Amino acid sequence: MSTPDEQQIENQLRHSPRPRPPGDLKARLITLAQSARQSRTPQGAATRNLRPNFAQRWWRILAPASFLLVCVFVLGVQQKEIRNLKQNIQTLTERIETGAAGTETDSRGQTSLPAAGAAAEAEEIARLKDIVSRLSADISRMEQMRVENQNLRTQLSTTSPFRLSPEELAAVEEKQAVAMRIACVNNMKQLGLAVRVWAQSEQETQGQPEIFPPDIISMTNELGTPKILSCPADPGHLPTDRWSSYTDANCSYEYLAPSATDREPTRVLFRCPIHENIGLCDGSVHSIKGHSLVQRDGKLYLDSN
Amino acid sequence: MDLDTNQLRTLAREDTPAATVHLIEHFYERIYAFLRRLAGNDADAADLTQRTFVRVQQALPSFAGRSSVASWVHSIAYHLYVDWRRASGRTEARSDEWWTARACVDLTPDEAAAQTDFARALYAFVDGLEPGLRESIHLHYYQGLTLQETADAMEVAASTVKYRLRQALDELRRNLSADSAAPASTRGMKST
């Protein structure tokens, strides 16, 4: 058998025999169709769409093609704008050039503008050059001054006029200590005076024998400033100049005879723990060196022996 | 004669069972033949035909008319067959020779000539094609659907159907050519 050509094959396929259905199939199908209740199928269920719509079939190609078209359109618009701008630039340049050339062709006999302009320009240039030269001179002077300052600073840092020898330093420190001790004595004298003034004032108003204040804070009027309550040599009790911020941390001196009377002149009223100075009830201030203190009935007295 | 799409839609809106009966009367023989050739036996073919028209009746209200009635009905039948084939796990060609069983009694002289060896070999080779190629041949040649109707039924592009038919015809020619050169005892068997 020779090989059949395509036409023969197609022809044979088209004329293939058709299998016959069973005799009762049609009746069964019709019975089924008539007896089946029409059921509502939800939208989009059961059967598939026979043919996907155009967008569903071609979106994979349409989407990038649309994007490309949009890009091409945008590029086209931009190119057009660029061309317009270039044209505008060219037009304006030509106008400027024609405008500049027009002034040269003025034939009324007036002073030619380019010449006057050139003279003004030259004058302006000369003035600017003068300013530049003056500024340059200022800059150089300032640079020199900067160098000199730097040298002076260097000298100062290396040779201090206040450098003292160890002996000189010791003498200075000793003098400072003496000064602080004198200031401490002065403070204690003022404290003693403030106590007596307070007692006297109380006697006049209350009619009582002189009794010293119960504490230091009662004497704010008499003391005036709380600074004197701090010994200059005491770094642990710094002075304050306001009673509103005064605390015991600002008082170096011990008040040892609160509410005492003036009938015990040798009783210790104040004591400085730094210098060991003592202020007595009679208002005098002594150094403890060379003296001794005695305690009687819980009170401290200067031993007069 | 194929039903008019608009007439069918109108009828389906008014009376779905009547529209279904109309479709059964026009298509049941063709659909049965289509499914019989593919399924390989009468019982399965009848069952698939019944399920096809049940599905047709269910889908009638939503028939949009975007394709012809023939391709729509064949599409339902085709997809039911594919689902049935996957469910039953059948991938190979049927063994029975459908072209000899229950053939139409009113054969024309051309159809009688189909009983020749050539026809037998050809139909056997068609059954041995890959599923996609085979079903394209069935729908386009056996069922007489156009290229577009075949594409609509299989839900592929018309160009795909064209390509598959081209491939199928080339393979059939090769098989027939090899068959004609083979010994007589082995003719009709698919060449590997």
Side-chain angles (χ1 to χ4, degrees), chain A residues 1-6 8-10 12-22 25-26 28-30 32-34 36-39 41 46-52 57, chain B residues 16 20 24-25 28 32-33 36-37 50 54 57-59 66-67 72 75 79 83 98-99 102 104 114 118-119 122-123 126 141-142 148 152 155 157 166 173 177 180:
Chain A
M1 179 175 67
S2 61
T3 306
D5 61 13
E6 196 170 290
Q8 283 178 299
I9 292 172
E10 285 188 308
Q12 190 62 58
L13 289 173
R14 286 198 176 95
H15 291 90
S16 64
R18 182 190 293 181
R20 282 193 71 190
L25 180 61
K26 181 179 174 182
R28 271 194 284 145
L29 292 173
I30 290 174
L32 199 65
Q34 287 171 340
R37 261 174 293 176
Q38 185 175 0
S39 62
T41 58
T47 55
R48 308 171 206 182
N49 282 332
L50 280 186
R51 178 166 50 170
R57 286 167 68 182
Chain B
T16 302
T20 309
I24 290 170
E25 287 172 351
Y28 91 97
Y32 175 83
R36 176 64 178 82
R37 294 190 194 103
Q50 190 170 307
V54 167
Q57 187 170 18
Q58 288 173 350
R66 283 195 288 267
S67 60
W72 179 65
S75 171
H79 287 106
D83 293 340
W98 53 265
W99 50 90
R102 296 281 188 102
C104 287
F118 163 64
L122 177 61
Y123 300 140
V126 167
Y141 291 109
Y142 294 166
Q148 189 56 57
D152 291 342
E155 292 185 6
R166 167 55 43 207
R173 282 193 65 195
S177 167
S180 65

Coordinates of all heavy atoms in Angstrom, one line a residue, chain A residues 1-6 8-10 12-22 25-26 28-30 32-34 36-39 41 46-52 57, chain B residues 16 20 24-25 28 32-33 36-37 50 54 57-59 66-67 72 75 79 83 98-99 102 104 114 118-119 122-123 126 141-142 148 152 155 157 166 173 177 180:
Chain A
M1 N 0.9 -1.2 0.0 CA 0.0 0.0 0.0 C 0.9 1.2 0.0 O 1.8 1.4 0.8 CB -0.9 -0.1 1.3 CG -1.8 1.1 1.4 SD -2.9 1.0 2.9 CE -1.8 1.1 4.2
S2 N 0.7 2.1 -0.9 CA 1.5 3.3 -1.0 C 1.1 4.3 0.1 O -0.1 4.2 0.6 CB 1.3 4.0 -2.4 OG -0.1 4.3 -2.6
T3 N 2.0 5.1 0.5 CA 1.7 6.1 1.5 C 0.7 7.1 1.0 O 0.9 7.7 0.0 CB 3.0 6.8 1.9 OG1 4.0 5.8 2.2 CG2 2.7 7.7 3.1
P4 N -0.5 7.2 1.7 CA -1.5 8.2 1.3 C -1.0 9.6 1.6 O -0.2 9.8 2.5 CB -2.7 7.8 2.2 CG -2.1 7.1 3.4 CD -0.9 6.5 2.9
D5 N -1.5 10.5 0.8 CA -1.1 11.9 1.1 C -2.0 12.5 2.1 O -3.0 11.8 2.6 CB -1.1 12.7 -0.2 CG -2.5 12.7 -0.9 OD1 -3.5 12.3 -0.2 OD2 -2.6 13.1 -2.1
E6 N -1.8 13.7 2.4 CA -2.5 14.3 3.5 C -3.9 14.5 3.2 O -4.8 14.3 4.0 CB -1.8 15.7 3.8 CG -2.2 16.3 5.1 CD -1.4 17.6 5.4 OE1 -0.2 17.4 5.6 OE2 -1.9 18.7 5.3
Q8 N -5.8 12.6 1.4 CA -6.5 11.3 1.6 C -6.8 11.0 3.1 O -7.8 10.5 3.4 CB -5.6 10.2 1.0 CG -5.7 10.1 -0.5 CD -4.8 9.0 -1.0 OE1 -3.6 9.1 -0.8 NE2 -5.4 8.0 -1.7
I9 N -5.8 11.3 3.8 CA -5.9 11.1 5.3 C -7.0 11.9 5.8 O -7.9 11.5 6.6 CB -4.6 11.4 6.0 CG1 -3.5 10.4 5.6 CG2 -4.8 11.4 7.5 CD1 -2.1 10.7 6.1
E10 N -7.0 13.2 5.5 CA -8.1 14.1 6.0 C -9.5 13.6 5.5 O -10.4 13.7 6.3 CB -7.8 15.5 5.5 CG -6.7 16.2 6.3 CD -6.6 17.7 5.9 OE1 -6.5 18.0 4.8 OE2 -6.6 18.5 6.9
Q12 N -10.4 10.6 4.8 CA -10.7 9.4 5.5 C -11.2 9.8 6.9 O -12.2 9.2 7.4 CB -9.5 8.5 5.5 CG -9.9 7.1 6.1 CD -10.9 6.4 5.2 OE1 -10.7 6.2 4.0 NE2 -12.0 6.1 5.7
L13 N -10.5 10.7 7.5 CA -10.9 11.1 8.9 C -12.3 11.7 8.9 O -13.1 11.4 9.8 CB -9.9 12.1 9.4 CG -8.5 11.5 9.8 CD1 -7.5 12.6 10.2 CD2 -8.6 10.5 10.9
R14 N -12.5 12.6 7.9 CA -13.9 13.2 7.9 C -15.0 12.2 7.6 O -16.1 12.5 8.0 CB -13.9 14.3 6.8 CG -13.1 15.5 7.2 CD -13.4 16.7 6.3 NE -12.7 17.9 6.8 CZ -11.5 18.3 6.3 NH1 -10.9 17.6 5.3 NH2 -10.8 19.3 6.8
H15 N -14.7 11.1 7.0 CA -15.7 10.1 6.7 C -15.7 8.9 7.6 O -16.1 7.8 7.2 CB -15.6 9.7 5.3 CG -16.0 10.8 4.3 ND1 -15.0 11.7 3.8 CD2 -17.2 11.2 3.8 CE1 -15.6 12.6 3.0 NE2 -16.9 12.3 3.0
S16 N -15.2 9.2 8.8 CA -15.1 8.1 9.8 C -16.5 7.7 10.2 O -17.4 8.5 10.2 CB -14.3 8.5 11.0 OG -15.0 9.5 11.7
P17 N -16.7 6.4 10.4 CA -18.1 6.0 10.8 C -18.4 6.5 12.2 O -17.5 6.7 13.1 CB -18.0 4.4 10.9 CG -16.5 4.2 11.0 CD -15.8 5.3 10.4
R18 N -19.7 6.7 12.4 CA -20.2 7.3 13.7 C -20.8 6.2 14.5 O -21.8 5.6 14.0 CB -21.2 8.4 13.4 CG -21.6 9.0 14.7 CD -22.8 10.0 14.4 NE -22.4 11.1 13.6 CZ -23.3 12.1 13.3 NH1 -24.5 12.0 13.6 NH2 -22.8 13.1 12.6
P19 N -20.3 5.9 15.7 CA -20.9 4.9 16.5 C -22.4 5.3 16.9 O -22.6 6.5 17.2 CB -20.0 4.8 17.8 CG -18.8 5.4 17.4 CD -19.1 6.4 16.3
R20 N -23.3 4.4 16.8 CA -24.7 4.6 17.1 C -24.9 4.6 18.6 O -24.4 3.6 19.3 CB -25.6 3.7 16.4 CG -25.7 4.0 14.9 CD -26.9 3.2 14.3 NE -28.2 3.7 14.8 CZ -29.3 3.0 14.6 NH1 -29.3 1.9 14.0 NH2 -30.4 3.5 15.0
P21 N -25.7 5.4 19.1 CA -26.1 5.4 20.5 C -27.1 4.3 20.8 O -27.8 3.8 19.9 CB -26.7 6.7 20.8 CG -27.2 7.2 19.5 CD -26.4 6.6 18.5
P22 N -27.2 3.8 22.0 CA -28.2 2.8 22.4 C -29.6 3.4 22.1 O -29.8 4.6 22.2 CB -28.0 2.6 23.9 CG -26.6 3.1 24.2 CD -26.3 4.1 23.2
L25 N -31.3 5.7 24.8 CA -30.5 6.8 25.4 C -31.2 8.2 25.3 O -31.3 8.9 26.3 CB -29.1 6.9 24.7 CG -28.2 8.0 25.3 CD1 -27.9 7.8 26.7 CD2 -26.9 8.1 24.5
K26 N -31.8 8.4 24.1 CA -32.5 9.7 23.9 C -33.6 9.8 24.9 O -33.8 10.9 25.5 CB -33.0 9.8 22.5 CG -33.7 11.1 22.2 CD -34.1 11.1 20.7 CE -34.9 12.4 20.4 NZ -35.4 12.4 19.0
R28 N -34.1 8.4 27.7 CA -33.6 8.6 29.1 C -33.1 10.1 29.3 O -33.4 10.7 30.3 CB -32.4 7.7 29.3 CG -32.8 6.3 29.9 CD -31.6 5.6 30.4 NE -30.8 5.0 29.3 CZ -29.4 4.9 29.3 NH1 -28.8 5.3 30.4 NH2 -28.8 4.4 28.3
L29 N -32.4 10.6 28.3 CA -31.9 12.0 28.5 C -33.1 13.0 28.6 O -33.0 13.9 29.4 CB -31.0 12.3 27.3 CG -29.7 11.6 27.2 CD1 -29.0 11.9 25.9 CD2 -28.8 11.9 28.4
I30 N -34.1 12.8 27.8 CA -35.2 13.7 27.8 C -36.0 13.6 29.1 O -36.3 14.6 29.7 CB -36.1 13.4 26.6 CG1 -35.4 13.8 25.3 CG2 -37.4 14.2 26.7 CD1 -36.1 13.5 24.0
L32 N -34.8 12.7 31.9 CA -33.9 13.3 32.9 C -34.1 14.8 32.9 O -34.2 15.5 33.9 CB -32.5 12.9 32.7 CG -31.5 13.1 33.9 CD1 -32.0 12.1 35.0 CD2 -30.1 12.7 33.5
A33 N -34.0 15.4 31.7 CA -34.1 16.8 31.5 C -35.4 17.4 32.0 O -35.5 18.4 32.6 CB -33.9 17.2 30.1
Q34 N -36.5 16.7 31.7 CA -37.8 17.2 32.1 C -38.1 17.0 33.6 O -38.8 17.8 34.2 CB -38.9 16.4 31.3 CG -38.9 16.9 29.8 CD -39.9 16.0 29.0 OE1 -40.2 14.9 29.3 NE2 -40.2 16.5 27.8
A36 N -35.7 17.0 35.9 CA -34.7 17.7 36.8 C -35.3 19.1 37.0 O -35.7 19.8 36.1 CB -33.4 17.8 36.1
R37 N -35.3 19.6 38.3 CA -35.7 20.9 38.6 C -34.6 21.8 38.1 O -33.4 21.6 38.3 CB -36.0 21.1 40.0 CG -37.4 20.9 40.4 CD -37.5 21.0 41.9 NE -36.9 19.8 42.5 CZ -36.8 19.6 43.8 NH1 -37.3 20.5 44.6 NH2 -36.3 18.5 44.3
Q38 N -35.1 23.0 37.6 CA -34.1 24.0 37.3 C -33.4 24.4 38.5 O -34.0 25.0 39.4 CB -34.7 25.1 36.5 CG -33.8 26.1 36.0 CD -34.5 27.2 35.2 OE1 -35.7 27.1 35.0 NE2 -33.7 28.1 34.7
S39 N -32.1 24.1 38.6 CA -31.3 24.6 39.8 C -30.6 25.8 39.4 O -30.0 26.0 38.3 CB -30.4 23.5 40.2 OG -29.5 23.2 39.2
T41 N -27.6 28.0 39.5 CA -26.2 27.8 39.7 C -25.6 29.2 40.1 O -26.1 30.2 39.5 CB -25.5 27.3 38.5 OG1 -25.7 28.2 37.4 CG2 -26.0 25.9 38.2
A46 N -19.7 25.8 38.5 CA -20.0 24.6 37.7 C -19.2 24.6 36.4 O -18.1 24.0 36.3 CB -21.5 24.4 37.4
T47 N -19.8 25.2 35.4 CA -19.1 25.1 34.1 C -18.0 26.2 33.9 O -18.1 27.3 34.5 CB -20.1 25.3 32.9 OG1 -20.8 26.5 33.1 CG2 -21.1 24.2 32.9
R48 N -17.1 25.9 33.1 CA -16.0 26.8 32.9 C -16.5 27.7 31.8 O -17.3 27.4 31.0 CB -14.7 26.1 32.5 CG -14.3 25.1 33.4 CD -13.2 24.3 32.8 NE -13.2 22.9 33.4 CZ -12.3 22.0 33.1 NH1 -11.4 22.3 32.2 NH2 -12.4 20.8 33.6
N49 N -15.9 28.9 31.7 CA -16.2 29.7 30.5 C -15.6 29.0 29.3 O -14.6 28.4 29.3 CB -15.4 31.0 30.6 CG -16.2 31.9 31.6 OD1 -17.4 31.8 31.7 ND2 -15.5 32.8 32.2
L50 N -16.4 29.0 28.2 CA -16.0 28.3 27.1 C -14.8 28.9 26.5 O -13.8 28.3 26.1 CB -17.1 28.3 26.0 CG -18.2 27.3 26.2 CD1 -19.2 27.3 25.1 CD2 -17.6 25.9 26.4
R51 N -14.8 30.2 26.4 CA -13.7 30.9 25.8 C -13.3 32.0 26.7 O -14.2 32.9 27.0 CB -14.1 31.4 24.4 CG -12.9 32.2 23.8 CD -13.1 32.5 22.3 NE -14.4 33.0 22.0 CZ -14.7 33.5 20.8 NH1 -13.8 33.4 19.8 NH2 -15.9 33.9 20.5
P52 N -12.1 32.0 27.2 CA -11.7 33.2 28.0 C -11.8 34.4 27.2 O -11.6 34.4 26.0 CB -10.3 32.8 28.4 CG -10.1 31.4 28.1 CD -11.1 31.0 27.0
R57 N -7.0 36.2 27.8 CA -6.1 35.4 27.0 C -4.8 36.2 26.7 O -3.8 35.7 26.5 CB -6.8 35.0 25.7 CG -7.8 33.9 25.9 CD -8.7 33.7 24.8 NE -8.0 33.2 23.6 CZ -8.5 33.0 22.4 NH1 -9.8 33.3 22.2 NH2 -7.8 32.5 21.4
Chain B
T16 N -36.0 26.3 30.7 CA -34.7 25.6 30.6 C -34.9 24.2 30.2 O -34.1 23.6 29.4 CB -33.9 25.8 31.9 OG1 -33.7 27.2 32.1 CG2 -32.6 25.1 31.8
T20 N -33.2 22.4 27.0 CA -32.3 21.2 27.1 C -32.8 20.1 26.2 O -32.0 19.4 25.5 CB -32.3 20.7 28.6 OG1 -32.0 21.8 29.4 CG2 -31.3 19.6 28.8
I24 N -30.8 18.2 23.3 CA -30.6 16.7 23.3 C -31.0 16.2 21.9 O -30.2 15.4 21.3 CB -31.5 16.1 24.4 CG1 -30.9 16.4 25.8 CG2 -31.5 14.6 24.2 CD1 -31.8 16.0 26.9
E25 N -32.1 16.6 21.4 CA -32.5 16.1 20.1 C -31.5 16.5 19.0 O -31.3 15.7 18.1 CB -33.9 16.7 19.8 CG -35.0 16.1 20.6 CD -36.3 16.8 20.4 OE1 -36.3 17.9 19.8 OE2 -37.3 16.4 20.9
Y28 N -27.4 14.8 20.7 CA -27.1 13.6 21.6 C -26.4 12.6 20.8 O -25.5 11.9 21.3 CB -28.3 13.1 22.2 CG -29.1 12.0 21.5 CD1 -28.8 10.6 21.8 CD2 -30.0 12.3 20.5 CE1 -29.5 9.6 21.1 CE2 -30.6 11.3 19.8 CZ -30.4 10.0 20.1 OH -31.0 9.0 19.4
Y32 N -22.7 11.5 21.8 CA -22.5 10.0 22.1 C -21.3 9.5 21.2 O -20.5 8.8 21.7 CB -23.7 9.2 21.9 CG -23.5 7.8 22.1 CD1 -23.5 7.2 23.4 CD2 -23.2 6.9 21.1 CE1 -23.2 5.9 23.6 CE2 -22.9 5.6 21.3 CZ -22.9 5.1 22.6 OH -22.7 3.7 22.8
A33 N -21.4 9.8 19.9 CA -20.3 9.2 19.1 C -19.0 9.7 19.5 O -18.0 9.0 19.5 CB -20.6 9.7 17.6
R36 N -18.1 8.0 22.7 CA -17.9 6.5 22.5 C -16.5 6.3 21.9 O -15.8 5.3 22.3 CB -19.0 6.0 21.5 CG -18.8 4.6 21.2 CD -19.0 3.6 22.4 NE -18.8 2.2 21.9 CZ -17.7 1.6 21.7 NH1 -16.5 2.3 21.9 NH2 -17.6 0.3 21.4
R37 N -16.1 7.1 21.0 CA -14.8 6.9 20.4 C -13.7 7.1 21.4 O -12.7 6.4 21.3 CB -14.6 7.9 19.2 CG -15.5 7.7 18.0 CD -15.0 8.6 16.9 NE -16.0 8.7 15.8 CZ -16.8 9.7 15.6 NH1 -16.7 10.8 16.4 NH2 -17.7 9.7 14.7
Q50 N -24.9 11.3 29.4 CA -26.0 11.7 30.3 C -25.5 12.8 31.2 O -26.1 13.8 31.4 CB -26.4 10.5 31.2 CG -27.6 10.7 32.0 CD -28.1 9.4 32.6 OE1 -28.3 8.4 31.9 NE2 -28.2 9.4 33.9
V54 N -26.8 16.7 31.6 CA -27.2 17.3 32.9 C -26.4 18.6 33.1 O -27.0 19.6 33.6 CB -26.8 16.2 34.0 CG1 -26.9 16.9 35.4 CG2 -27.8 15.1 33.9
Q57 N -27.8 21.4 31.0 CA -29.1 22.0 31.6 C -28.7 22.9 32.8 O -29.3 24.0 32.9 CB -30.0 20.8 32.1 CG -31.3 21.4 32.6 CD -32.3 20.3 32.8 OE1 -31.9 19.1 33.0 NE2 -33.6 20.6 32.9
Q58 N -27.7 22.5 33.6 CA -27.3 23.4 34.7 C -26.7 24.7 34.2 O -26.9 25.8 34.8 CB -26.3 22.7 35.6 CG -26.9 21.6 36.4 CD -25.8 20.8 37.1 OE1 -24.7 20.9 36.9 NE2 -26.3 19.9 38.0
A59 N -26.0 24.6 33.1 CA -25.2 25.8 32.6 C -26.0 26.6 31.6 O -25.5 27.7 31.3 CB -23.9 25.3 31.9
R66 N -21.0 33.4 23.6 CA -19.8 33.9 23.1 C -19.2 32.9 22.0 O -18.4 33.3 21.3 CB -18.8 34.1 24.1 CG -19.0 35.4 24.9 CD -17.8 35.8 25.7 NE -17.6 34.8 26.9 CZ -18.1 35.1 28.1 NH1 -18.7 36.2 28.3 NH2 -17.9 34.2 29.1
S67 N -19.7 31.7 22.1 CA -19.3 30.7 21.1 C -20.5 30.1 20.5 O -21.7 30.3 21.0 CB -18.4 29.7 21.7 OG -19.1 29.0 22.7
W72 N -20.0 24.9 22.4 CA -20.3 24.9 23.8 C -20.6 23.6 24.3 O -20.1 23.1 25.3 CB -21.4 25.9 24.0 CG -21.8 26.1 25.4 CD1 -21.1 26.6 26.5 CD2 -23.1 25.7 26.0 NE1 -21.8 26.6 27.6 CE2 -23.1 26.0 27.4 CE3 -24.3 25.1 25.5 CZ2 -24.1 25.8 28.2 CZ3 -25.3 24.9 26.3 CH2 -25.2 25.2 27.7
S75 N -17.6 21.3 24.3 CA -16.7 21.7 25.3 C -17.0 21.1 26.6 O -16.2 20.5 27.3 CB -16.7 23.2 25.5 OG -15.9 23.6 26.6
H79 N -14.6 18.3 28.4 CA -14.0 18.5 29.8 C -14.5 17.4 30.7 O -13.8 17.0 31.6 CB -14.4 19.9 30.4 CG -13.6 21.0 29.7 ND1 -14.1 21.9 28.8 CD2 -12.3 21.3 29.8 CE1 -13.2 22.7 28.4 NE2 -12.1 22.4 28.9
D83 N -12.0 14.9 32.7 CA -12.1 14.7 34.2 C -12.2 13.2 34.4 O -11.7 12.6 35.3 CB -13.2 15.5 34.8 CG -13.0 17.0 34.7 OD1 -11.8 17.4 34.6 OD2 -13.9 17.7 34.8
W98 N -13.7 1.0 17.7 CA -15.0 1.6 17.7 C -15.6 1.7 16.3 O -16.8 1.8 16.1 CB -14.9 3.0 18.4 CG -13.9 3.9 17.8 CD1 -12.6 4.0 18.2 CD2 -14.0 4.7 16.6 NE1 -11.9 4.9 17.4 CE2 -12.7 5.3 16.4 CE3 -15.0 4.9 15.6 CZ2 -12.5 6.2 15.4 CZ3 -14.7 5.8 14.6 CH2 -13.5 6.4 14.4
W99 N -14.7 1.8 15.3 CA -15.2 2.0 14.0 C -15.9 0.7 13.4 O -16.6 0.8 12.4 CB -14.0 2.4 13.0 CG -12.8 1.5 13.1 CD1 -12.6 0.4 12.4 CD2 -11.7 1.6 14.0 NE1 -11.4 -0.2 12.7 CE2 -10.8 0.6 13.8 CE3 -11.4 2.5 15.0 CZ2 -9.6 0.4 14.5 CZ3 -10.2 2.3 15.7 CH2 -9.3 1.3 15.4
R102 N -21.1 -1.0 16.4 CA -22.3 -0.1 16.3 C -22.1 1.0 15.3 O -22.5 2.1 15.6 CB -22.5 0.5 17.7 CG -22.8 -0.4 18.8 CD -24.3 -0.9 18.7 NE -24.7 -1.7 19.9 CZ -25.4 -1.2 20.8 NH1 -25.7 0.1 20.8 NH2 -25.7 -1.9 21.9
C104 N -23.0 3.2 12.1 CA -24.3 3.6 11.5 C -24.7 2.6 10.4 O -23.9 2.3 9.6 CB -24.2 5.0 10.9 SG -24.1 6.3 12.2
A114 N -14.6 3.0 4.1 CA -13.8 3.2 5.3 C -13.4 1.9 5.9 O -12.6 1.9 6.9 CB -14.5 4.2 6.2
F118 N -6.7 0.5 5.1 CA -6.2 1.8 5.3 C -6.9 2.5 6.4 O -6.4 3.1 7.3 CB -6.2 2.6 4.0 CG -6.1 4.1 4.1 CD1 -4.9 4.6 4.7 CD2 -7.1 5.0 3.8 CE1 -4.7 6.0 4.8 CE2 -6.9 6.3 4.0 CZ -5.8 6.8 4.5
A119 N -8.3 2.5 6.3 CA -9.1 3.2 7.3 C -8.8 2.6 8.7 O -8.7 3.3 9.6 CB -10.5 3.1 6.9
L122 N -5.6 3.7 9.9 CA -5.6 5.1 10.2 C -6.3 5.4 11.6 O -5.8 6.1 12.4 CB -6.3 5.9 9.1 CG -6.5 7.4 9.3 CD1 -5.1 8.1 9.5 CD2 -7.3 8.0 8.2
Y123 N -7.5 4.8 11.8 CA -8.2 5.0 13.0 C -7.4 4.5 14.2 O -7.4 5.1 15.3 CB -9.6 4.4 12.9 CG -10.4 4.9 11.8 CD1 -11.3 4.1 11.1 CD2 -10.4 6.3 11.5 CE1 -12.0 4.6 10.1 CE2 -11.2 6.8 10.5 CZ -12.0 6.0 9.7 OH -12.8 6.4 8.7
V126 N -4.8 7.0 15.0 CA -5.3 8.1 15.7 C -5.5 7.9 17.2 O -5.2 8.7 18.0 CB -6.7 8.5 15.0 CG1 -7.4 9.6 15.9 CG2 -6.4 9.1 13.6
Y141 N -12.2 16.6 12.9 CA -12.5 15.7 11.8 C -13.7 14.8 12.1 O -14.6 14.8 11.3 CB -11.3 14.9 11.4 CG -10.1 15.6 10.8 CD1 -8.9 15.8 11.5 CD2 -10.2 16.2 9.6 CE1 -7.9 16.6 11.0 CE2 -9.2 16.9 9.0 CZ -8.0 17.1 9.7 OH -7.0 17.8 9.2
Y142 N -13.7 14.1 13.2 CA -14.8 13.2 13.4 C -16.1 14.0 13.7 O -17.1 13.6 13.2 CB -14.5 12.3 14.6 CG -13.3 11.4 14.4 CD1 -12.8 10.7 15.5 CD2 -12.8 11.1 13.2 CE1 -11.7 9.8 15.3 CE2 -11.7 10.2 13.0 CZ -11.2 9.6 14.1 OH -10.2 8.7 13.9
Q148 N -12.1 27.1 14.8 CA -12.4 28.0 16.0 C -13.3 27.3 17.0 O -13.1 27.4 18.2 CB -13.1 29.3 15.4 CG -13.3 30.3 16.5 CD -12.0 30.7 17.2 OE1 -11.0 31.2 16.5 NE2 -11.9 30.6 18.5
D152 N -12.5 26.6 20.8 CA -13.4 27.0 21.9 C -13.7 25.8 22.8 O -13.8 26.0 24.0 CB -14.7 27.6 21.3 CG -14.5 28.9 20.6 OD1 -13.4 29.5 20.9 OD2 -15.3 29.3 19.8
E155 N -10.7 25.1 24.8 CA -10.3 26.3 25.5 C -8.8 26.5 25.2 O -8.0 26.8 26.2 CB -10.5 26.1 27.0 CG -12.0 26.2 27.4 CD -12.2 26.1 28.9 OE1 -11.2 26.2 29.6 OE2 -13.4 26.0 29.3
A157 N -6.1 28.3 21.9 CA -6.1 29.2 20.8 C -6.3 28.4 19.5 O -5.9 27.3 19.4 CB -4.8 30.1 20.8
R166 N -1.6 19.7 12.7 CA -0.4 19.6 11.8 C 0.5 18.5 12.3 O 0.9 17.6 11.6 CB 0.3 20.9 11.7 CG 1.7 20.9 11.1 CD 1.8 20.3 9.7 NE 0.7 20.7 8.9 CZ 0.2 20.0 7.9 NH1 0.8 18.8 7.6 NH2 -0.7 20.4 7.2
R173 N 1.0 10.3 9.0 CA 1.6 10.0 7.8 C 2.9 9.1 8.0 O 3.1 8.1 7.3 CB 2.0 11.2 7.0 CG 0.9 11.9 6.3 CD 1.4 13.0 5.4 NE 2.2 12.4 4.3 CZ 3.0 13.1 3.5 NH1 3.1 14.4 3.7 NH2 3.6 12.5 2.5
S177 N 3.2 5.4 6.7 CA 4.3 5.1 5.8 C 5.1 3.9 6.4 O 5.5 3.0 5.6 CB 5.2 6.3 5.7 OG 6.5 6.0 5.1
S180 N 3.1 0.7 5.9 CA 3.0 0.2 4.6 C 4.3 -0.6 4.3 O 4.3 -1.5 3.4 CB 2.8 1.3 3.6 OG 3.9 2.2 3.6

